[in-house]
Amino acid sequence: MAKEGKRQLDRAVDDLEHEVPGKARRFIEWGRSDRARWVRIPLALALIAVGILAPYMPIVGVEDVPVGLLLLSYDIPFLRKPMAAFIEWLIGLWRRLRGKSPHRKS
């Protein structure tokens, strides 16, 4: 079951990488690597804490919670499937807003 969640998360993040610009794509690739784990976990916990403790700040806020959960999902197996579904939903929403079909790859 954990392997299926990892596969779903990897597919969702692969799709996400195709939707973001070059620098963001490189950051995602680095963040997915095993060598980034020592940064990924503390950063994820900090983002979640800031999102909960300071939800209405202009630069950081409640939107940091999903980003923190996404980062943690690489290290906590039970978060993988829900975060994969969330990423796929966001990508579908993004494509609809841009006027693309969510099932067509460009």
Side-chain angles (χ1 to χ4, degrees):
M1 182 184 283
K3 288 183 181 184
E4 179 61 27
K6 177 101 168 84
R7 265 183 262 146
Q8 286 177 342
L9 183 63
D10 284 337
R11 273 194 309 267
V13 175
D14 286 343
D15 285 347
L16 179 64
E17 284 180 354
H18 293 290
E19 295 294 327
V20 297
K23 287 184 180 182
R25 183 177 300 131
R26 285 190 297 276
F27 179 74
I28 292 170
E29 288 170 356
W30 175 81
R32 293 171 75 178
S33 69
D34 288 337
R35 60 194 161 113
R37 186 174 192 192
W38 63 275
V39 173
R40 187 173 54 230
I41 294 172
L43 179 60
L45 295 174
L47 286 170
I48 293 169
V50 166
I52 292 171
L53 298 174
Y56 302 110
M57 292 184 68
I59 295 174
V60 295
V62 73
E63 66 273 1
D64 292 334
V65 174
V67 175
L69 289 173
L70 173 61
L71 290 171
L72 273 182
S73 67
Y74 274 94
D75 301 303
I76 300 177
F78 71 84
L79 286 175
R80 291 176 183 160
K81 282 186 181 183
M83 289 311 298
F86 179 68
I87 292 168
E88 289 297 335
W89 176 80
L90 280 177
I91 291 170
L93 178 64
W94 172 249
R95 288 176 178 163
R96 282 190 302 278
L97 289 173
R98 284 192 345 203
K100 283 183 163 181
S101 168
H103 302 291
R104 186 178 70 203
K105 304 251 182 193
S106 49

